[in-house]
């Protein structure tokens, strides 16, 4: 079960003393997902966390909350956070762009230090002539490279040196980027999380999907739809969301559509090299 929690602040004037704090609880269901929506109507005094706890119970360590809601560190409550769906959206975006653009000679690099995206290689090699994998788990990827060469004739170059990024056109990094990559300014990065370090080129990290209407109706008004979609995917058993492809995506400055991002990718093999 998913549990969403919000605090509604009511009248701040003298009339607040005429009302008591109260808790509203609503249950919603759709397919395999069930949602308990708990709303604390706050009129006066302190938040009664013990009262709230009667309704939140075991979900207190992964409760869905709006970003502006502050959960006291001593309350025992933790906000649900995950990037599993966002990382999947990054992988889906890469496959969609490569398949749609159908560009020969594009230099593609997959960054996967932990070896979590090894299964993605087989799909990527269907759409690029040479895939380079930058990883700390070279043994895992060496085995995958042998398998794909024997089964499909597909070539994967496995390396540990970031120098392979210097001439990359498209970089796919589902996990968080914590360092500035030595990419050309004309390159494009697809990543599953907002980079914690500035990048020298376009880095797309925020993905939006057209959430099916039945799930939009399930989503409380105080929650962001993509945040709710993440919870549905991770905890709600709605695994079909993992096959969705972005309708829009953002790099922190520009919102891209599928068409505009495909055009941007196609332009990479036409633009002259720029300095780093």
């Amino acid at each position: 079960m998913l549990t969403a929690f919000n605090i509604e602040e009511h009248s701040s004037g003298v009339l607040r003393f005429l009302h008591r704090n109260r808790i509203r609880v609503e249950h919603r269901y759709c397919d395999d997902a069930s949602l308990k929506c708990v709303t604390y109507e706050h009129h006066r005094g302190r938040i009664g966390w013990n009262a709230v706890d009667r309704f939140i119970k075991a979900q207190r360590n992964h409760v869905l909350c709006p970003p502006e809601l502050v959960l006291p560190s001593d309350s025992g409550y933790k906000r649900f956070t995950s990037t599993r769906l966002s990382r999947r959206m990054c992988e889906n975006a890469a496959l969609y762009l490569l398949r749609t653009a159908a560009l020969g000679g594009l230099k593609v690099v997959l960054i996967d230090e932990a070896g979590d995206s090894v299964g993605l290689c087989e799909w990527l090699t269907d759409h690029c002539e040479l895939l380079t994998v930058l990883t700390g788990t070279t043994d895992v990827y060496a085995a995958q490279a042998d398998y794909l060469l024997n089964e499909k004739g597909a070539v994967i170059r496995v390396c540990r040196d970031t120098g392979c990024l210097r001439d990359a056109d498209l970089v796919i990094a589902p996990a968080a980027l914590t360092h500035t990559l030595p990419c050309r300014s004309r390159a494009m990065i697809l990543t599953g999380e907002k980079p914690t370090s500035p990048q020298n080129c376009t880095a797309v990290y925020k993905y939006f999907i057209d959430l099916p209407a039945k799930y939009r109706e399930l989503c409380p008004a105080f929650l962001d739809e993509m945040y709710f979609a993440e919870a549905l995917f991770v905890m709600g058993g709605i695994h079909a969301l993992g096959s969705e492809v972005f309708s829009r995506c953002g790099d922190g400055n520009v919102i891209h559509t599928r068409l505009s991002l495909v055009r941007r990718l196609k332009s990479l093999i036409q633009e002259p090299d720029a300095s780093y």
Side-chain angles (χ1 to χ4, degrees), residues 74-92:
D74 60 352
S75 67
Y77 281 72
K78 293 183 180 179
R79 185 188 315 274
F80 165 77
T81 58
S82 174
T83 57
R84 280 175 54 188
L85 181 60
S86 181
R87 291 185 182 197
R88 180 69 65 83
M89 292 298 101
C90 167
E91 296 175 352
N92 292 353

Side-chain angles (χ1 to χ4, degrees), residues 158-256:
V158 182
C159 66
R160 302 177 66 100
D161 184 359
T162 58
C164 65
L165 295 167
R166 297 187 184 280
D167 63 349
D169 297 309
L170 177 65
V171 177
I172 306 162
L177 294 175
T178 57
H179 304 285
T180 301
L181 303 181
C183 297
R184 292 179 287 190
S185 60
R186 73 180 185 92
M188 181 193 300
I189 298 172
L190 296 177
T191 183
E193 300 181 43
K194 182 178 180 179
T196 58
S197 296
Q199 301 301 316
N200 299 322
C201 58
T202 297
V204 173
Y205 61 86
K206 190 172 182 62
Y207 305 91
F208 303 88
I209 61 174
D210 293 327
L211 195 64
K214 58 184 178 180
Y215 299 132
R216 287 203 307 272
E217 293 173 1
L218 189 67
C219 180
F222 56 82
L223 293 182
D224 174 77
E225 280 191 8
M226 288 306 299
Y227 175 68
F228 186 64
E230 186 84 46
L232 286 173
F233 178 70
V234 174
M235 297 192 299
I238 311 300
H239 303 302
L241 292 176
S243 63
E244 294 283 339
V245 178
F246 73 95
S247 57
R248 295 170 295 124
C249 58
D251 59 19
N253 296 305
V254 178
I255 296 295
H256 305 271

Side-chain angles (χ1 to χ4, degrees), residues 2-272:
L2 306 179
T3 299
F5 176 62
N6 190 33
I7 297 176
E8 290 183 356
E9 295 284 352
H10 288 276
S11 169
S12 60
V14 67
L15 291 179
R16 72 183 185 276
F17 294 108
L18 301 178
H19 301 276
R20 295 177 61 87
N21 296 342
R22 73 181 188 122
I23 298 174
R24 301 195 316 268
V25 180
E26 179 185 0
H27 292 270
R28 303 178 186 178
Y29 304 92
C30 182
D31 296 339
D32 293 331
S34 60
L35 171 72
K36 179 166 59 178
C37 189
V38 180
T39 303
Y40 191 97
E41 295 183 2
H42 185 221
H43 295 273
R44 55 179 173 164
R46 307 172 99 184
I47 302 298
W49 289 103
N50 288 336
V52 172
D53 205 47
R54 297 205 316 267
F55 301 97
I56 303 294
K57 298 181 180 178
Q59 284 76 41
R60 66 177 66 85
N61 64 347
H62 49 260
V63 67
L64 279 62
C65 306
E68 66 274 9
L69 178 59
V70 177
L71 297 173
S73 58
D74 60 352
S75 67
Y77 281 72
K78 293 183 180 179
R79 185 188 315 274
F80 165 77
T81 58
S82 174
T83 57
R84 280 175 54 188
L85 181 60
S86 181
R87 291 185 182 197
R88 180 69 65 83
M89 292 298 101
C90 167
E91 296 175 352
N92 292 353
L95 291 171
Y96 174 82
L97 291 178
L98 289 172
R99 181 176 63 250
T100 305
L103 295 171
L106 200 68
K107 298 175 182 177
V108 181
V109 178
L110 171 65
I111 300 178
D112 180 22
E113 282 296 317
D116 294 330
S117 298
V118 66
L120 180 64
C121 283
E122 184 169 358
W123 300 99
L124 290 174
T125 54
D126 287 338
H127 306 292
C128 58
E129 297 174 2
L130 173 63
L131 174 66
T132 300
V133 179
L134 176 62
T135 181
T137 55
T138 52
D139 54 339
V140 172
Y141 273 100
Q144 180 73 340
D146 289 341
Y147 167 77
L148 292 177
L149 181 61
N150 293 329
E151 293 296 319
K152 299 173 55 178
V155 178
I156 297 178
R157 183 164 66 102
V158 182
C159 66
R160 302 177 66 100
D161 184 359
T162 58
C164 65
L165 295 167
R166 297 187 184 280
D167 63 349
D169 297 309
L170 177 65
V171 177
I172 306 162
L177 294 175
T178 57
H179 304 285
T180 301
L181 303 181
C183 297
R184 292 179 287 190
S185 60
R186 73 180 185 92
M188 181 193 300
I189 298 172
L190 296 177
T191 183
E193 300 181 43
K194 182 178 180 179
T196 58
S197 296
Q199 301 301 316
N200 299 322
C201 58
T202 297
V204 173
Y205 61 86
K206 190 172 182 62
Y207 305 91
F208 303 88
I209 61 174
D210 293 327
L211 195 64
K214 58 184 178 180
Y215 299 132
R216 287 203 307 272
E217 293 173 1
L218 189 67
C219 180
F222 56 82
L223 293 182
D224 174 77
E225 280 191 8
M226 288 306 299
Y227 175 68
F228 186 64
E230 186 84 46
L232 286 173
F233 178 70
V234 174
M235 297 192 299
I238 311 300
H239 303 302
L241 292 176
S243 63
E244 294 283 339
V245 178
F246 73 95
S247 57
R248 295 170 295 124
C249 58
D251 59 19
N253 296 305
V254 178
I255 296 295
H256 305 271
T257 64
R258 290 181 185 179
L259 180 59
S260 67
L261 209 60
V262 168
R263 287 174 175 168
R264 178 74 184 93
L265 186 63
K266 287 183 175 181
S267 72
L268 296 182
I269 61 173
Q270 301 169 353
E271 293 177 5

